[in-house]
Amino acid sequence: MGRIWSISTFEIARVYQKPSSYILMFMMPLIFTFLFAGVGGNNAATSFKIALVDQDKTAISQELVKKMGQEEWLDIKLMERSEAEKQLSNKSISGMITIPSGFAGQLFNGKKPEVAFRHGPDLSIAGSIRQMIDNAMAQESIKIKAAYLVNPNSTGADLTASYQSMSAALGTNLITVDAKNISKGSSLDRSNNQSERLVGFVILFLMITLTIVTGKILEARKIGVWYRLLSTPSSRFNIMGGYMLSFLIIGWLQMAILMTASHFIFGTVWGNLLAQFCLVSALLLCAIGLGLMVAGFVKTAEQQMLMGIIIISPTCMLGGVYWPIELVPDFMQKMALFVPQYWAMEGFKTVMTHGGTLLDVLGSIGILLGFAAVFMAVGISRVRYE
Amino acid sequence: MLKVDNLKKSFGNREVVRGVTFSVNKGESFGLLGPNGAGKSTTISMICGLIESSSGDVTVGGVSINKNPMEVKRKIGVVPQDIALYPTISARENLYFWGRMYGLSRVEAKKRTEEVLEIVGLQDRAKEKIENYSGGMKRRINIGAALMHKPELLIMDEPTVGIDPQSRNHILETVKKLNQEGMTVIYTSHYMEEVEYLCERIAIVDQGLVIASGTKAELCNRLVGATSIQIKVNVSSPELIDTLGTIQNVQSVKADGELITIYTSDARQALGDAVALVVQSGLQVLSVDVQEPNLESVFLQLTGRTLRD
């Protein structure tokens, strides 16, 4: 254990000896978050202007309009379709929601009508708005079902009346209760777009950092110290254990400092710490495994870093690190299931946005550990001891 | 102290070490001499347990490297051919780290670091980063790292490659002193002078085999006609060459223009007779040079090549 600790502390000291390490590990993620996710803290989302076009003009659609208008984090304006389209093309508004005609009829018939949401490609909270629409529609659907239950044989106007009386009777209570459980809008008070982007950049730079530090093994080979290490009475387990522990500690230090700094700078709330600890540990193992695997197929630390970035950058794009995954086409969302960053993002969103606990992120952790096991098995099997 | 028994190593179909056998006594300084590519470094790597042998065994102090590699590694210190240090940290930090890797406690490693800095003569530069050192200073710390745990057996693989004469002398003196203090040393090199200076016994390695071993005197005595006398005359004379060949104890005579080389096993007698014959033939002796046998000539006779071929 003494040798493992010696190698580990020695390698950690060598990493933090370089000023560039601080820039890459701590400054870059915070600067990127500052630049690309805005600096307005949790109130930043209130400035998004969204047009709402009601082509149905029924009691249900108006109820939906009313409900969306109550969302504090959005500036929703009711307007005609032509005006909304004009403003969207002028970029006077960030997006437009269209409730189509026949909307209420479809809901009464038990179908799920399509509420269109158009927005510019740079609207980072598009996913949250889509979620808000779905939640609002789900609530209306529940009220209609309740109206049926109360008055099973009603149709048409009777059913509408029954629905209206149900709405009036429930008031906002139903919305409030359900909103706490399923609505993304209310939880955005705790973790908004900025948090999501911060997490994304943290994952990106964490993976880059660990790719670079896992190159220490290749560097050791290059400068001959690997040869000397193997000539000392240190077992392979001690040597690899020392390196692995140093990678984990470096990753954890980076994560802990970023979590603390972002909490004080951006007001980020990271949620359940136990869940975060397990999630981050799984992500670190996965990133270390990836670095080791890449190291197993190249000869120099420089090649490893280049190859690592070539792999990390596109998989981060695919995994929803740079922008909400909901913005990309369906086939890409399906492809995202095969990259670890997607599962890390999902886990972080669950803990930070939905107040998830360890139990809620066990799935993400399990999948990340699965990736880690595969990467490490390949990476460690290719470490050469001669 | 060390027994190397029929050690073999193949890489693919290529057998680079083909059955090396030798032994080194405790406190002895033993040289492995051979040209580049002879298999010296591979043999050293197998002795240190860095690569597995294809067959054969190595025992250090009676402990087999195949059976108990960690115990063997505790007994030996290895000075690799290339500098094996962390360039961006200081000499002191490097030595301390390697001390810890050899199993020293923090206190022991700290104390020994200062001792080793004194041995290699770099106390005053201990704080500087290795990358700022000269080649010779790096070599000295490279040796120092292998001394941290006071090994019973110090194995040095070409430790003076590419350094200035002053640093080379310092290293040779250091190794000599360590050996005089009781440390067993194996020194590999293709520099004949270094091996001659340091080593009591020598094994000459070529193409993966020990082709001769013994003390320098024993190796040189194996040569017949190893001493050469070079006489430069004013005019070349083929008749004189034949006459010189008749002198007692002269094995052969070669001529290159006015330069005549006589190979003999008794230089004292042959020199007088040869000069007398030259004068009798009416030629003038312009210069005379006698070369005693050395390891280079032993290697040349055994392989037909020079050590630096």
Side-chain angles (χ1 to χ4, degrees):
Chain A
M1 190 61 202
R3 285 193 180 88
I4 291 178
W5 186 244
S6 291
I7 293 174
S8 174
T9 50
F10 182 75
E11 288 299 336
I12 292 166
R14 286 206 317 126
V15 166
Y16 288 110
Q17 184 191 39
K18 294 180 185 172
S20 58
S21 299
Y22 297 91
I23 296 170
L24 178 73
M25 289 182 186
F26 309 120
M27 289 175 69
M28 296 287 272
L30 295 174
I31 290 171
F32 270 58
T33 304
F34 186 84
L35 291 177
F36 297 107
V39 291
N42 287 335
N43 295 324
T46 56
S47 62
F48 291 104
K49 288 181 180 172
I50 304 292
L52 186 53
V53 179
D54 182 7
Q55 294 179 319
D56 194 43
K57 298 192 189 323
T58 59
I60 294 175
S61 71
Q62 283 164 8
E63 185 67 23
L64 204 59
V65 168
K66 186 178 159 192
K67 188 177 294 172
M68 289 186 193
Q70 288 170 349
E71 295 290 347
E72 289 176 0
W73 52 287
L74 290 176
D75 182 9
I76 289 188
K77 294 269 188 298
L78 194 63
M79 57 180 83
E80 290 302 314
R81 183 189 178 95
S82 57
E83 178 60 21
E85 283 178 338
K86 189 178 161 190
Q87 289 203 24
L88 185 63
S89 64
N90 291 342
K91 296 189 177 173
S92 306
I93 54 172
S94 302
M96 62 181 277
I97 299 167
T98 306
I99 303 170
S101 56
F103 172 79
Q106 286 189 56
L107 270 182
F108 279 133
N109 291 330
K111 292 178 184 167
K112 190 184 175 191
E114 183 66 33
V115 172
F117 174 47
R118 286 170 57 194
H119 57 84
D122 55 347
L123 183 62
S124 53
I125 60 158
S128 305
I129 296 174
R130 167 54 66 190
Q131 186 73 45
M132 181 269 295
I133 295 166
D134 290 344
N135 290 342
M137 284 171 58
Q139 287 182 19
E140 294 316 304
S141 185
I142 289 167
K143 282 192 220 167
I144 290 168
K145 280 175 187 162
Y148 268 123
L149 285 172
V150 172
N151 202 351
N153 300 320
S154 63
T155 55
D158 293 342
L159 186 58
T160 304
S162 179
Y163 163 80
Q164 283 175 319
S165 61
M166 181 67 63
S167 278
L170 289 170
T172 55
N173 290 341
L174 179 65
I175 300 164
T176 306
V177 171
D178 279 356
K180 281 196 175 174
N181 286 333
I182 61 173
S183 165
K184 198 162 190 171
S186 60
S187 46
L188 275 176
D189 287 339
R190 293 171 55 202
S191 176
N192 61 6
N193 163 61
Q194 193 176 66
S195 302
E196 208 171 304
R197 293 290 60 77
L198 172 72
V199 167
F201 290 128
V202 166
I203 292 173
L204 172 68
F205 284 97
L206 196 67
M207 294 187 86
I208 290 174
T209 300
L210 288 172
T211 301
I212 292 170
V213 296
T214 48
K216 291 280 170 201
I217 293 176
L218 289 169
E219 185 203 359
R221 290 187 77 91
K222 189 182 172 188
I223 62 175
V225 295
W226 187 253
Y227 179 95
R228 197 192 277 279
L229 265 176
L230 294 172
S231 76
T232 66
S234 307
S235 65
R236 292 175 184 185
F237 175 79
N238 279 335
I239 294 170
M240 278 312 290
Y243 276 102
M244 293 290 283
L245 184 63
S246 73
F247 302 153
L248 265 176
I249 293 175
I250 287 166
W252 252 116
L253 274 174
Q254 182 181 8
M255 198 64 201
I257 290 170
L258 285 176
M259 286 169 93
T260 309
S262 61
H263 176 73
F264 287 108
I265 297 170
F266 303 121
T268 308
V269 177
W270 287 87
N272 185 295
L273 285 180
L274 177 64
Q276 286 288 12
F277 177 80
C278 296
L279 190 63
V280 170
S281 298
L283 174 65
L284 290 177
L285 287 172
C286 189
I288 292 167
L290 180 66
L292 287 176
M293 187 173 76
V294 174
F297 291 92
V298 295
K299 287 187 174 170
T300 66
E302 292 77 17
Q303 286 174 344
Q304 194 225 19
M305 188 171 78
L306 188 66
M307 188 63 75
I309 289 172
I310 287 172
I311 293 170
I312 290 167
S313 294
T315 49
C316 276
M317 288 180 195
L318 202 56
V321 162
Y322 302 134
W323 47 73
I325 191 80
E326 296 83 3
L327 287 182
V328 301
D330 277 351
F331 78 94
M332 287 181 77
Q333 291 189 33
K334 287 192 174 77
M335 283 169 68
L337 300 175
F338 297 95
V339 300
Q341 291 94 323
Y342 169 82
W343 297 100
M345 284 298 292
E346 284 302 301
F348 280 118
K349 280 193 273 184
T350 303
V351 177
M352 296 168 74
T353 308
H354 302 296
T357 62
L358 178 59
L359 280 176
D360 299 313
V361 290
L362 279 180
S364 291
I365 290 172
I367 291 167
L368 284 172
L369 288 177
F371 275 112
V374 173
F375 293 159
M376 284 206 188
V378 176
I380 290 175
S381 71
R382 291 187 67 90
V383 175
R384 284 162 289 173
Y385 294 97
E386 287 198 347
Chain B
M1 180 73 213
L2 170 74
K3 277 186 184 170
V4 177
D5 183 22
N6 198 25
L7 209 55
K8 292 181 182 176
K9 180 67 185 178
S10 299
F11 294 106
N13 294 327
R14 200 163 56 91
E15 195 173 36
V16 292
V17 177
R18 301 188 292 154
V20 167
T21 300
F22 64 88
S23 61
V24 181
N25 300 320
K26 191 170 174 61
E28 190 177 21
S29 177
F30 187 85
L32 277 179
L33 183 68
N36 289 328
K40 303 187 300 292
S41 293
T42 309
T43 302
I44 292 298
S45 295
M46 286 189 282
I47 294 171
C48 304
L50 291 164
I51 55 176
E52 280 181 32
S53 58
S54 304
S55 68
D57 196 13
V58 174
T59 56
V60 178
V63 182
S64 164
I65 188 81
N66 292 335
K67 290 177 186 158
N68 196 346
M70 287 302 148
E71 186 57 33
V72 169
K73 287 178 182 183
R74 274 186 203 101
K75 293 174 185 286
I76 61 177
V78 184
V79 180
Q81 187 171 347
D82 298 316
I83 304 292
L85 300 166
Y86 292 98
T88 57
I89 61 170
S90 71
R92 182 174 274 125
E93 288 167 320
N94 261 287
L95 291 176
Y96 175 81
F97 173 72
W98 290 114
R100 297 284 289 147
M101 287 302 98
Y102 277 113
L104 302 187
S105 69
R106 285 189 181 87
V107 176
E108 286 170 339
K110 231 172 195 176
K111 185 168 171 260
R112 184 64 182 155
T113 296
E114 299 309 316
E115 289 171 4
V116 168
L117 282 168
E118 195 179 333
I119 291 171
V120 298
L122 286 169
Q123 306 100 304
D124 53 334
R125 306 286 295 271
K127 282 183 187 171
E128 286 181 40
K129 288 180 182 175
I130 295 292
E131 64 189 0
N132 297 331
Y133 274 15
S134 69
M137 288 158 71
K138 285 178 190 169
R139 288 271 167 203
R140 281 148 72 178
I141 296 294
N142 205 35
I143 294 169
L147 300 175
M148 284 300 292
H149 60 307
K150 298 182 182 170
E152 293 174 40
L153 173 63
L154 179 66
I155 300 177
M156 310 181 84
D157 190 5
E158 310 243 11
T160 58
V161 171
I163 58 169
D164 57 282
Q166 196 184 349
S167 291
R168 172 175 294 184
N169 288 341
H170 190 282
I171 288 171
L172 293 177
E173 289 306 320
T174 305
V175 177
K176 190 98 180 166
K177 195 172 168 220
L178 288 167
N179 180 236
Q180 284 166 351
E181 287 169 357
M183 192 177 283
T184 310
V185 176
I186 295 182
Y187 194 93
T188 84
S189 180
H190 62 271
Y191 293 120
M192 175 198 69
E193 315 80 29
E194 292 181 3
V195 175
E196 277 188 356
Y197 174 71
L198 284 174
C199 304
E200 297 155 45
R201 285 197 307 129
I202 299 148
I204 296 179
V205 184
D206 188 45
Q207 297 180 348
L209 284 170
V210 174
I211 55 173
S213 66
T215 63
K216 184 194 167 190
E218 285 168 351
L219 288 168
C220 291
N221 284 342
R222 292 169 62 132
L223 296 182
V224 179
T227 306
S228 63
I229 302 166
Q230 289 189 323
I231 302 173
K232 193 165 186 184
V233 293
N234 58 337
V235 180
S236 63
S237 167
E239 296 81 22
L240 177 63
I241 305 304
D242 294 338
T243 312
L244 290 171
T246 62
I247 298 173
Q248 199 179 1
N249 294 325
V250 167
Q251 269 68 45
S252 61
V253 182
K254 286 178 186 171
D256 182 10
E258 289 82 33
L259 186 67
I260 301 164
T261 307
I262 301 163
Y263 295 95
T264 177
S265 55
D266 187 349
R268 186 181 291 180
Q269 188 198 324
L271 178 61
D273 292 351
V275 171
L277 282 174
V278 171
V279 174
Q280 279 172 24
S281 65
L283 300 179
Q284 284 181 357
V285 177
L286 300 179
S287 67
V288 175
D289 184 25
V290 179
Q291 288 187 340
E292 291 293 331
N294 58 24
L295 295 173
E296 179 79 47
S297 46
V298 174
F299 186 79
L300 180 67
Q301 189 172 77
L302 288 169
T303 66
R305 290 176 286 115
T306 65
L307 280 165
R308 289 177 180 79
D309 273 350

